[in-house]
Amino acid sequence: MEDFVRLFGSLLTLVYHCFDRIVILGHLPLLTRPENIVHFFRDVHGVGTITKEVLRQRTTEYNQWVEAFARNHRIPIEWAEKGVRKEDYVRPWLRRMERQGRYGVYFILKSMEIGTSFRSTMPKYPTADPNYRILSRQRSRYAHYYFYVRDPVLGPIALCVGSFLPFSITYYLNGHHFIEQQLRRAGVEFRKDDNAFLWVADQKTLQAAADALSAKIIRTRLEYWTLWWARSSPRKTVRPSTSAVVTRCSRWSIAAT
């Protein structure tokens, strides 16, 4: 960075430091291990034999809920096109939300991706429990749903949720979107092209807005949308884990650029 400023400093109109793209991986604590799945089905829902059909039923119910949610709220839901940047594709719907001054989910994209799931197999040798099945984690390819959300604090964010147990969630947000919300609230004029600020009336306010983004703010807003998802999803699919999601918000793994 120092070399860049030394070579092109005369061409720079402003310099600021901020988080750009932030990716956060979330896991529902009560659905991450085989023993958790056994407890979920046997003790919570009274399912004795956890077969592959039982596991598949959870995915079927979840898929049906997503389709119904999109239909009831008139939210577009489509398969993502190969080679097309997702954020660019949904941007017209985001702009419509901004013009209407509304917040919430504005688009859902479906994408076939690799993720964690569970498989159920019969034991190789007879056991005393006829309902006994071997549950193991695996990596497989299945549908993931991208919920594109306009948040009043973070700005545009996306929640990518797998359609198979353990329903892992990946959150995508951007520091520049947060800064934009802060500047608008402060009444500071600016020019922005996609993900870059070209001009700001008050550079000190710009840096202050960037510095205001904290782990507490991110956690609070993502917990809000995680709770919304858990409460809205089919009751027998993920709701028993809602309290764990809210109080611990699972385990966070952050990658920021």
Side-chain angles (χ1 to χ4, degrees), residues 96-140:
R96 183 184 304 172
M97 289 281 283
E98 292 173 342
R99 291 193 298 270
Q100 296 173 348
R102 295 191 298 116
Y103 299 97
V105 180
Y106 60 89
F107 208 102
I108 302 174
L109 280 179
K110 298 182 287 185
S111 177
M112 294 296 292
E113 300 177 6
I114 300 295
T116 300
S117 62
F118 290 93
R119 68 174 179 174
S120 173
T121 57
M122 290 284 293
K124 186 176 182 180
Y125 302 102
T127 64
D129 182 1
N131 294 326
Y132 178 73
R133 295 294 186 275
I134 299 175
L135 293 179
S136 56
R137 288 168 61 97
Q138 65 177 2
R139 300 283 291 175
S140 58

mmCIF file of all heavy atoms in Angstrom, residues 96-140:
data_model
loop_
_atom_site.group_PDB
_atom_site.id
_atom_site.type_symbol
_atom_site.label_atom_id
_atom_site.label_comp_id
_atom_site.label_asym_id
_atom_site.label_seq_id
_atom_site.Cartn_x
_atom_site.Cartn_y
_atom_site.Cartn_z
ATOM 1 N N ARG A 96 -35.008 -1.043 -6.180
ATOM 2 C CA ARG A 96 -36.448 -0.854 -5.976
ATOM 3 C C ARG A 96 -36.769 -0.762 -4.489
ATOM 4 O O ARG A 96 -37.570 0.091 -4.071
ATOM 5 C CB ARG A 96 -37.213 -2.019 -6.607
ATOM 6 C CG ARG A 96 -38.734 -1.886 -6.512
ATOM 7 C CD ARG A 96 -39.407 -3.123 -7.084
ATOM 8 N NE ARG A 96 -38.965 -3.368 -8.461
ATOM 9 C CZ ARG A 96 -39.284 -4.472 -9.151
ATOM 10 N NH1 ARG A 96 -40.014 -5.413 -8.575
ATOM 11 N NH2 ARG A 96 -38.871 -4.616 -10.383
ATOM 12 N N MET A 97 -36.135 -1.621 -3.679
ATOM 13 C CA MET A 97 -36.340 -1.559 -2.228
ATOM 14 C C MET A 97 -35.889 -0.209 -1.678
ATOM 15 O O MET A 97 -36.538 0.378 -0.806
ATOM 16 C CB MET A 97 -35.562 -2.680 -1.546
ATOM 17 C CG MET A 97 -36.103 -4.073 -1.766
ATOM 18 S SD MET A 97 -37.546 -4.453 -0.724
ATOM 19 C CE MET A 97 -36.723 -4.750 0.849
ATOM 20 N N GLU A 98 -34.764 0.287 -2.178
ATOM 21 C CA GLU A 98 -34.242 1.569 -1.718
ATOM 22 C C GLU A 98 -35.190 2.710 -2.073
ATOM 23 O O GLU A 98 -35.430 3.603 -1.249
ATOM 24 C CB GLU A 98 -32.861 1.807 -2.321
ATOM 25 C CG GLU A 98 -31.798 0.856 -1.803
ATOM 26 C CD GLU A 98 -30.478 1.006 -2.532
ATOM 27 O OE1 GLU A 98 -30.473 1.581 -3.647
ATOM 28 O OE2 GLU A 98 -29.457 0.533 -1.996
ATOM 29 N N ARG A 99 -35.722 2.690 -3.281
ATOM 30 C CA ARG A 99 -36.657 3.746 -3.687
ATOM 31 C C ARG A 99 -37.924 3.718 -2.850
ATOM 32 O O ARG A 99 -38.508 4.772 -2.546
ATOM 33 C CB ARG A 99 -37.007 3.597 -5.173
ATOM 34 C CG ARG A 99 -35.864 3.907 -6.124
ATOM 35 C CD ARG A 99 -36.390 4.054 -7.541
ATOM 36 N NE ARG A 99 -36.997 2.808 -8.020
ATOM 37 C CZ ARG A 99 -36.333 1.858 -8.666
ATOM 38 N NH1 ARG A 99 -35.035 1.999 -8.905
ATOM 39 N NH2 ARG A 99 -36.955 0.764 -9.088
ATOM 40 N N GLN A 100 -38.348 2.519 -2.460
ATOM 41 C CA GLN A 100 -39.568 2.382 -1.676
ATOM 42 C C GLN A 100 -39.318 2.553 -0.183
ATOM 43 O O GLN A 100 -40.274 2.586 0.603
ATOM 44 C CB GLN A 100 -40.196 1.007 -1.942
ATOM 45 C CG GLN A 100 -40.644 0.816 -3.382
ATOM 46 C CD GLN A 100 -41.112 -0.602 -3.662
ATOM 47 O OE1 GLN A 100 -40.913 -1.512 -2.851
ATOM 48 N NE2 GLN A 100 -41.741 -0.810 -4.813
ATOM 49 N N GLY A 101 -38.030 2.643 0.211
ATOM 50 C CA GLY A 101 -37.703 2.811 1.614
ATOM 51 C C GLY A 101 -38.050 1.602 2.453
ATOM 52 O O GLY A 101 -38.379 1.738 3.646
ATOM 53 N N ARG A 102 -37.963 0.408 1.879
ATOM 54 C CA ARG A 102 -38.334 -0.810 2.595
ATOM 55 C C ARG A 102 -37.087 -1.631 2.935
ATOM 56 O O ARG A 102 -36.053 -1.515 2.287
ATOM 57 C CB ARG A 102 -39.288 -1.661 1.751
ATOM 58 C CG ARG A 102 -40.624 -0.994 1.486
ATOM 59 C CD ARG A 102 -41.641 -1.961 0.880
ATOM 60 N NE ARG A 102 -41.204 -2.466 -0.416
ATOM 61 C CZ ARG A 102 -40.942 -3.752 -0.662
ATOM 62 N NH1 ARG A 102 -41.040 -4.653 0.303
ATOM 63 N NH2 ARG A 102 -40.574 -4.138 -1.877
ATOM 64 N N TYR A 103 -37.238 -2.478 3.960
ATOM 65 C CA TYR A 103 -36.164 -3.363 4.383
ATOM 66 C C TYR A 103 -36.689 -4.790 4.461
ATOM 67 O O TYR A 103 -37.886 -5.016 4.650
ATOM 68 C CB TYR A 103 -35.618 -2.941 5.752
ATOM 69 C CG TYR A 103 -35.038 -1.545 5.769
ATOM 70 C CD1 TYR A 103 -35.795 -0.463 6.207
ATOM 71 C CD2 TYR A 103 -33.744 -1.304 5.323
ATOM 72 C CE1 TYR A 103 -35.279 0.816 6.209
ATOM 73 C CE2 TYR A 103 -33.213 -0.029 5.321
ATOM 74 C CZ TYR A 103 -33.984 1.023 5.764
ATOM 75 O OH TYR A 103 -33.468 2.294 5.764
ATOM 76 N N GLY A 104 -35.770 -5.746 4.308
ATOM 77 C CA GLY A 104 -36.155 -7.150 4.368
ATOM 78 C C GLY A 104 -35.623 -7.915 3.177
ATOM 79 O O GLY A 104 -34.739 -7.448 2.439
ATOM 80 N N VAL A 105 -36.162 -9.106 2.968
ATOM 81 C CA VAL A 105 -35.730 -9.971 1.862
ATOM 82 C C VAL A 105 -36.316 -9.451 0.562
ATOM 83 O O VAL A 105 -37.519 -9.174 0.481
ATOM 84 C CB VAL A 105 -36.174 -11.428 2.099
ATOM 85 C CG1 VAL A 105 -35.715 -12.319 0.956
ATOM 86 C CG2 VAL A 105 -35.627 -11.946 3.425
ATOM 87 N N TYR A 106 -35.488 -9.316 -0.462
ATOM 88 C CA TYR A 106 -35.984 -8.814 -1.739
ATOM 89 C C TYR A 106 -35.717 -9.764 -2.906
ATOM 90 O O TYR A 106 -36.254 -9.564 -3.996
ATOM 91 C CB TYR A 106 -35.405 -7.435 -2.053
ATOM 92 C CG TYR A 106 -33.893 -7.374 -2.148
ATOM 93 C CD1 TYR A 106 -33.237 -7.613 -3.357
ATOM 94 C CD2 TYR A 106 -33.119 -7.049 -1.038
ATOM 95 C CE1 TYR A 106 -31.856 -7.540 -3.451
ATOM 96 C CE2 TYR A 106 -31.738 -6.975 -1.112
ATOM 97 C CZ TYR A 106 -31.113 -7.222 -2.326
ATOM 98 O OH TYR A 106 -29.747 -7.157 -2.415
ATOM 99 N N PHE A 107 -34.914 -10.794 -2.698
ATOM 100 C CA PHE A 107 -34.667 -11.763 -3.771
ATOM 101 C C PHE A 107 -34.112 -13.044 -3.154
ATOM 102 O O PHE A 107 -33.419 -13.004 -2.132
ATOM 103 C CB PHE A 107 -33.661 -11.212 -4.794
ATOM 104 C CG PHE A 107 -33.834 -11.770 -6.183
ATOM 105 C CD1 PHE A 107 -34.462 -11.036 -7.165
ATOM 106 C CD2 PHE A 107 -33.395 -13.051 -6.504
ATOM 107 C CE1 PHE A 107 -34.631 -11.547 -8.450
ATOM 108 C CE2 PHE A 107 -33.553 -13.574 -7.761
ATOM 109 C CZ PHE A 107 -34.180 -12.823 -8.752
ATOM 110 N N ILE A 108 -34.390 -14.186 -3.791
ATOM 111 C CA ILE A 108 -33.844 -15.473 -3.375
ATOM 112 C C ILE A 108 -33.259 -16.163 -4.605
ATOM 113 O O ILE A 108 -33.953 -16.349 -5.603
ATOM 114 C CB ILE A 108 -34.909 -16.378 -2.732
ATOM 115 C CG1 ILE A 108 -35.546 -15.693 -1.523
ATOM 116 C CG2 ILE A 108 -34.291 -17.723 -2.328
ATOM 117 C CD1 ILE A 108 -36.710 -16.478 -0.928
ATOM 118 N N LEU A 109 -31.996 -16.500 -4.511
ATOM 119 C CA LEU A 109 -31.341 -17.243 -5.585
ATOM 120 C C LEU A 109 -31.012 -18.648 -5.100
ATOM 121 O O LEU A 109 -30.605 -18.838 -3.948
ATOM 122 C CB LEU A 109 -30.046 -16.547 -6.026
ATOM 123 C CG LEU A 109 -30.175 -15.359 -6.977
ATOM 124 C CD1 LEU A 109 -28.793 -14.772 -7.277
ATOM 125 C CD2 LEU A 109 -30.861 -15.767 -8.282
ATOM 126 N N LYS A 110 -31.184 -19.622 -5.982
ATOM 127 C CA LYS A 110 -30.840 -21.008 -5.679
ATOM 128 C C LYS A 110 -29.560 -21.375 -6.427
ATOM 129 O O LYS A 110 -29.381 -20.998 -7.580
ATOM 130 C CB LYS A 110 -31.976 -21.945 -6.095
ATOM 131 C CG LYS A 110 -33.279 -21.691 -5.364
ATOM 132 C CD LYS A 110 -34.368 -22.669 -5.778
ATOM 133 C CE LYS A 110 -34.888 -22.374 -7.165
ATOM 134 N NZ LYS A 110 -36.034 -23.246 -7.513
ATOM 135 N N SER A 111 -28.692 -22.118 -5.739
ATOM 136 C CA SER A 111 -27.416 -22.487 -6.345
ATOM 137 C C SER A 111 -26.998 -23.865 -5.850
ATOM 138 O O SER A 111 -27.098 -24.165 -4.654
ATOM 139 C CB SER A 111 -26.347 -21.451 -5.976
ATOM 140 O OG SER A 111 -25.080 -21.818 -6.493
ATOM 141 N N MET A 112 -26.535 -24.715 -6.758
ATOM 142 C CA MET A 112 -26.025 -26.032 -6.392
ATOM 143 C C MET A 112 -24.573 -25.892 -5.958
ATOM 144 O O MET A 112 -23.716 -25.503 -6.747
ATOM 145 C CB MET A 112 -26.136 -26.992 -7.568
ATOM 146 C CG MET A 112 -27.560 -27.315 -7.979
ATOM 147 S SD MET A 112 -28.477 -28.202 -6.689
ATOM 148 C CE MET A 112 -27.599 -29.764 -6.681
ATOM 149 N N GLU A 113 -24.312 -26.190 -4.682
ATOM 150 C CA GLU A 113 -22.973 -26.031 -4.132
ATOM 151 C C GLU A 113 -22.638 -27.182 -3.197
ATOM 152 O O GLU A 113 -23.520 -27.918 -2.745
ATOM 153 C CB GLU A 113 -22.868 -24.693 -3.378
ATOM 154 C CG GLU A 113 -23.138 -23.472 -4.255
ATOM 155 C CD GLU A 113 -23.090 -22.169 -3.478
ATOM 156 O OE1 GLU A 113 -22.725 -22.213 -2.276
ATOM 157 O OE2 GLU A 113 -23.435 -21.118 -4.045
ATOM 158 N N ILE A 114 -21.350 -27.319 -2.903
ATOM 159 C CA ILE A 114 -20.890 -28.348 -1.977
ATOM 160 C C ILE A 114 -21.095 -27.874 -0.541
ATOM 161 O O ILE A 114 -20.785 -26.733 -0.197
ATOM 162 C CB ILE A 114 -19.399 -28.673 -2.199
ATOM 163 C CG1 ILE A 114 -19.179 -29.173 -3.630
ATOM 164 C CG2 ILE A 114 -18.928 -29.718 -1.195
ATOM 165 C CD1 ILE A 114 -19.852 -30.486 -3.933
ATOM 166 N N GLY A 115 -21.624 -28.744 0.297
ATOM 167 C CA GLY A 115 -21.832 -28.401 1.697
ATOM 168 C C GLY A 115 -21.859 -29.639 2.572
ATOM 169 O O GLY A 115 -21.822 -30.768 2.080
ATOM 170 N N THR A 116 -21.936 -29.424 3.867
ATOM 171 C CA THR A 116 -21.982 -30.517 4.832
ATOM 172 C C THR A 116 -23.392 -31.094 4.919
ATOM 173 O O THR A 116 -24.375 -30.352 4.897
ATOM 174 C CB THR A 116 -21.546 -30.033 6.226
ATOM 175 O OG1 THR A 116 -20.221 -29.538 6.158
ATOM 176 C CG2 THR A 116 -21.599 -31.158 7.242
ATOM 177 N N SER A 117 -23.483 -32.404 5.015
ATOM 178 C CA SER A 117 -24.764 -33.077 5.224
ATOM 179 C C SER A 117 -24.513 -34.348 6.027
ATOM 180 O O SER A 117 -23.374 -34.656 6.379
ATOM 181 C CB SER A 117 -25.427 -33.410 3.878
ATOM 182 O OG SER A 117 -24.620 -34.310 3.134
ATOM 183 N N PHE A 118 -25.585 -35.054 6.322
ATOM 184 C CA PHE A 118 -25.474 -36.306 7.063
ATOM 185 C C PHE A 118 -26.036 -37.449 6.222
ATOM 186 O O PHE A 118 -26.982 -37.254 5.451
ATOM 187 C CB PHE A 118 -26.233 -36.229 8.387
ATOM 188 C CG PHE A 118 -25.612 -35.312 9.399
ATOM 189 C CD1 PHE A 118 -26.012 -33.986 9.496
ATOM 190 C CD2 PHE A 118 -24.620 -35.773 10.250
ATOM 191 C CE1 PHE A 118 -25.450 -33.141 10.429
ATOM 192 C CE2 PHE A 118 -24.044 -34.928 11.184
ATOM 193 C CZ PHE A 118 -24.462 -33.610 11.273
ATOM 194 N N ARG A 119 -25.473 -38.623 6.397
ATOM 195 C CA ARG A 119 -26.014 -39.804 5.734
ATOM 196 C C ARG A 119 -26.298 -40.886 6.759
ATOM 197 O O ARG A 119 -25.634 -40.989 7.793
ATOM 198 C CB ARG A 119 -25.055 -40.327 4.673
ATOM 199 C CG ARG A 119 -23.761 -40.908 5.203
ATOM 200 C CD ARG A 119 -22.967 -41.527 4.071
ATOM 201 N NE ARG A 119 -21.698 -42.089 4.542
ATOM 202 C CZ ARG A 119 -20.864 -42.782 3.775
ATOM 203 N NH1 ARG A 119 -21.156 -42.973 2.510
ATOM 204 N NH2 ARG A 119 -19.749 -43.258 4.281
ATOM 205 N N SER A 120 -27.306 -41.686 6.486
ATOM 206 C CA SER A 120 -27.708 -42.763 7.367
ATOM 207 C C SER A 120 -27.474 -44.097 6.676
ATOM 208 O O SER A 120 -27.918 -44.305 5.538
ATOM 209 C CB SER A 120 -29.191 -42.614 7.738
ATOM 210 O OG SER A 120 -29.652 -43.737 8.464
ATOM 211 N N THR A 121 -26.789 -45.004 7.347
ATOM 212 C CA THR A 121 -26.502 -46.328 6.780
ATOM 213 C C THR A 121 -26.826 -47.413 7.797
ATOM 214 O O THR A 121 -26.768 -47.198 9.010
ATOM 215 C CB THR A 121 -25.020 -46.443 6.369
ATOM 216 O OG1 THR A 121 -24.190 -46.172 7.508
ATOM 217 C CG2 THR A 121 -24.688 -45.469 5.257
ATOM 218 N N MET A 122 -27.145 -48.585 7.282
ATOM 219 C CA MET A 122 -27.399 -49.739 8.142
ATOM 220 C C MET A 122 -26.080 -50.258 8.701
ATOM 221 O O MET A 122 -25.052 -50.237 8.025
ATOM 222 C CB MET A 122 -28.076 -50.847 7.328
ATOM 223 C CG MET A 122 -29.507 -50.537 6.915
ATOM 224 S SD MET A 122 -30.658 -50.729 8.296
ATOM 225 C CE MET A 122 -30.567 -52.496 8.563
ATOM 226 N N PRO A 123 -26.080 -50.723 9.948
ATOM 227 C CA PRO A 123 -24.847 -51.310 10.492
ATOM 228 C C PRO A 123 -24.484 -52.594 9.756
ATOM 229 O O PRO A 123 -25.356 -53.306 9.250
ATOM 230 C CB PRO A 123 -25.212 -51.579 11.958
ATOM 231 C CG PRO A 123 -26.704 -51.674 11.978
ATOM 232 C CD PRO A 123 -27.187 -50.731 10.922
ATOM 233 N N LYS A 124 -23.199 -52.874 9.678
ATOM 234 C CA LYS A 124 -22.726 -54.047 8.957
ATOM 235 C C LYS A 124 -23.143 -55.336 9.634
ATOM 236 O O LYS A 124 -23.424 -56.344 8.967
ATOM 237 C CB LYS A 124 -21.196 -53.980 8.829
ATOM 238 C CG LYS A 124 -20.591 -55.069 7.962
ATOM 239 C CD LYS A 124 -19.098 -54.871 7.807
ATOM 240 C CE LYS A 124 -18.490 -55.943 6.901
ATOM 241 N NZ LYS A 124 -17.020 -55.750 6.734
ATOM 242 N N TYR A 125 -23.208 -55.320 10.958
ATOM 243 C CA TYR A 125 -23.571 -56.511 11.722
ATOM 244 C C TYR A 125 -24.833 -56.225 12.537
ATOM 245 O O TYR A 125 -25.109 -55.080 12.909
ATOM 246 C CB TYR A 125 -22.426 -56.926 12.653
ATOM 247 C CG TYR A 125 -21.139 -57.211 11.917
ATOM 248 C CD1 TYR A 125 -20.106 -56.276 11.904
ATOM 249 C CD2 TYR A 125 -20.964 -58.410 11.227
ATOM 250 C CE1 TYR A 125 -18.922 -56.530 11.226
ATOM 251 C CE2 TYR A 125 -19.780 -58.678 10.539
ATOM 252 C CZ TYR A 125 -18.771 -57.735 10.547
ATOM 253 O OH TYR A 125 -17.605 -57.980 9.863
ATOM 254 N N PRO A 126 -25.615 -57.260 12.827
ATOM 255 C CA PRO A 126 -26.851 -57.081 13.612
ATOM 256 C C PRO A 126 -26.562 -56.469 14.985
ATOM 257 O O PRO A 126 -25.524 -56.719 15.589
ATOM 258 C CB PRO A 126 -27.390 -58.510 13.736
ATOM 259 C CG PRO A 126 -26.777 -59.259 12.607
ATOM 260 C CD PRO A 126 -25.412 -58.656 12.422
ATOM 261 N N THR A 127 -27.508 -55.656 15.476
ATOM 262 C CA THR A 127 -27.385 -55.029 16.789
ATOM 263 C C THR A 127 -28.631 -55.320 17.610
ATOM 264 O O THR A 127 -29.665 -55.763 17.087
ATOM 265 C CB THR A 127 -27.210 -53.505 16.659
ATOM 266 O OG1 THR A 127 -28.392 -52.949 16.067
ATOM 267 C CG2 THR A 127 -26.008 -53.164 15.785
ATOM 268 N N ALA A 128 -28.535 -55.065 18.914
ATOM 269 C CA ALA A 128 -29.669 -55.296 19.805
ATOM 270 C C ALA A 128 -30.810 -54.329 19.534
ATOM 271 O O ALA A 128 -31.968 -54.620 19.824
ATOM 272 C CB ALA A 128 -29.214 -55.182 21.261
ATOM 273 N N ASP A 129 -30.487 -53.161 18.980
ATOM 274 C CA ASP A 129 -31.498 -52.145 18.680
ATOM 275 C C ASP A 129 -31.827 -52.197 17.196
ATOM 276 O O ASP A 129 -31.008 -51.812 16.354
ATOM 277 C CB ASP A 129 -30.967 -50.759 19.062
ATOM 278 C CG ASP A 129 -31.995 -49.664 18.826
ATOM 279 O OD1 ASP A 129 -33.120 -49.982 18.394
ATOM 280 O OD2 ASP A 129 -31.663 -48.485 19.062
ATOM 281 N N PRO A 130 -33.024 -52.644 16.827
ATOM 282 C CA PRO A 130 -33.385 -52.734 15.404
ATOM 283 C C PRO A 130 -33.478 -51.365 14.727
ATOM 284 O O PRO A 130 -33.430 -51.271 13.504
ATOM 285 C CB PRO A 130 -34.739 -53.444 15.429
ATOM 286 C CG PRO A 130 -35.302 -53.141 16.785
ATOM 287 C CD PRO A 130 -34.124 -53.093 17.702
ATOM 288 N N ASN A 131 -33.615 -50.298 15.534
ATOM 289 C CA ASN A 131 -33.711 -48.942 14.980
ATOM 290 C C ASN A 131 -32.349 -48.271 14.807
ATOM 291 O O ASN A 131 -32.276 -47.140 14.320
ATOM 292 C CB ASN A 131 -34.578 -48.062 15.876
ATOM 293 C CG ASN A 131 -36.027 -48.524 15.905
ATOM 294 O OD1 ASN A 131 -36.551 -49.017 14.904
ATOM 295 N ND2 ASN A 131 -36.680 -48.381 17.050
ATOM 296 N N TYR A 132 -31.304 -48.947 15.209
ATOM 297 C CA TYR A 132 -29.974 -48.341 15.173
ATOM 298 C C TYR A 132 -29.516 -48.091 13.741
ATOM 299 O O TYR A 132 -29.608 -48.961 12.866
ATOM 300 C CB TYR A 132 -28.961 -49.231 15.886
ATOM 301 C CG TYR A 132 -27.545 -48.692 15.844
ATOM 302 C CD1 TYR A 132 -27.175 -47.596 16.622
ATOM 303 C CD2 TYR A 132 -26.587 -49.258 15.003
ATOM 304 C CE1 TYR A 132 -25.892 -47.087 16.588
ATOM 305 C CE2 TYR A 132 -25.292 -48.758 14.952
ATOM 306 C CZ TYR A 132 -24.949 -47.681 15.746
ATOM 307 O OH TYR A 132 -23.681 -47.179 15.691
ATOM 308 N N ARG A 133 -29.038 -46.888 13.500
ATOM 309 C CA ARG A 133 -28.449 -46.531 12.200
ATOM 310 C C ARG A 133 -27.146 -45.780 12.455
ATOM 311 O O ARG A 133 -26.982 -45.122 13.485
ATOM 312 C CB ARG A 133 -29.391 -45.635 11.383
ATOM 313 C CG ARG A 133 -30.697 -46.310 10.972
ATOM 314 C CD ARG A 133 -30.472 -47.445 9.997
ATOM 315 N NE ARG A 133 -31.725 -47.984 9.499
ATOM 316 C CZ ARG A 133 -32.454 -48.919 10.116
ATOM 317 N NH1 ARG A 133 -32.026 -49.384 11.285
ATOM 318 N NH2 ARG A 133 -33.567 -49.362 9.598
ATOM 319 N N ILE A 134 -26.240 -45.872 11.512
ATOM 320 C CA ILE A 134 -24.968 -45.166 11.617
ATOM 321 C C ILE A 134 -25.109 -43.820 10.905
ATOM 322 O O ILE A 134 -25.345 -43.771 9.693
ATOM 323 C CB ILE A 134 -23.822 -45.977 10.997
ATOM 324 C CG1 ILE A 134 -23.674 -47.313 11.735
ATOM 325 C CG2 ILE A 134 -22.511 -45.184 11.061
ATOM 326 C CD1 ILE A 134 -22.651 -48.239 11.111
ATOM 327 N N LEU A 135 -24.978 -42.743 11.647
ATOM 328 C CA LEU A 135 -25.039 -41.400 11.079
ATOM 329 C C LEU A 135 -23.631 -40.836 10.969
ATOM 330 O O LEU A 135 -22.849 -40.910 11.920
ATOM 331 C CB LEU A 135 -25.894 -40.475 11.937
ATOM 332 C CG LEU A 135 -27.397 -40.777 12.001
ATOM 333 C CD1 LEU A 135 -28.091 -39.786 12.915
ATOM 334 C CD2 LEU A 135 -28.013 -40.746 10.618
ATOM 335 N N SER A 136 -23.310 -40.274 9.844
ATOM 336 C CA SER A 136 -21.975 -39.706 9.639
ATOM 337 C C SER A 136 -22.075 -38.450 8.799
ATOM 338 O O SER A 136 -22.971 -38.297 7.964
ATOM 339 C CB SER A 136 -21.049 -40.725 8.961
ATOM 340 O OG SER A 136 -21.603 -41.168 7.738
ATOM 341 N N ARG A 137 -21.140 -37.535 9.052
ATOM 342 C CA ARG A 137 -21.068 -36.306 8.262
ATOM 343 C C ARG A 137 -20.420 -36.598 6.922
ATOM 344 O O ARG A 137 -19.554 -37.467 6.799
ATOM 345 C CB ARG A 137 -20.256 -35.241 9.006
ATOM 346 C CG ARG A 137 -20.971 -34.654 10.222
ATOM 347 C CD ARG A 137 -20.010 -33.839 11.070
ATOM 348 N NE ARG A 137 -19.467 -32.715 10.315
ATOM 349 C CZ ARG A 137 -19.940 -31.473 10.370
ATOM 350 N NH1 ARG A 137 -20.981 -31.210 11.128
ATOM 351 N NH2 ARG A 137 -19.383 -30.502 9.693
ATOM 352 N N GLN A 138 -20.829 -35.839 5.912
ATOM 353 C CA GLN A 138 -20.245 -35.983 4.590
ATOM 354 C C GLN A 138 -20.316 -34.650 3.859
ATOM 355 O O GLN A 138 -21.029 -33.736 4.280
ATOM 356 C CB GLN A 138 -20.982 -37.051 3.781
ATOM 357 C CG GLN A 138 -22.429 -36.683 3.483
ATOM 358 C CD GLN A 138 -23.136 -37.709 2.623
ATOM 359 O OE1 GLN A 138 -22.560 -38.734 2.267
ATOM 360 N NE2 GLN A 138 -24.395 -37.451 2.284
ATOM 361 N N ARG A 139 -19.571 -34.565 2.789
ATOM 362 C CA ARG A 139 -19.629 -33.392 1.910
ATOM 363 C C ARG A 139 -20.332 -33.816 0.633
ATOM 364 O O ARG A 139 -19.951 -34.805 -0.003
ATOM 365 C CB ARG A 139 -18.220 -32.885 1.597
ATOM 366 C CG ARG A 139 -17.422 -32.463 2.814
ATOM 367 C CD ARG A 139 -17.827 -31.117 3.342
ATOM 368 N NE ARG A 139 -17.461 -30.046 2.431
ATOM 369 C CZ ARG A 139 -17.786 -28.768 2.616
ATOM 370 N NH1 ARG A 139 -18.521 -28.426 3.672
ATOM 371 N NH2 ARG A 139 -17.407 -27.845 1.764
ATOM 372 N N SER A 140 -21.375 -33.099 0.275
ATOM 373 C CA SER A 140 -22.136 -33.447 -0.913
ATOM 374 C C SER A 140 -22.637 -32.183 -1.607
ATOM 375 O O SER A 140 -22.585 -31.084 -1.051
ATOM 376 C CB SER A 140 -23.314 -34.362 -0.553
ATOM 377 O OG SER A 140 -24.157 -33.738 0.405
#
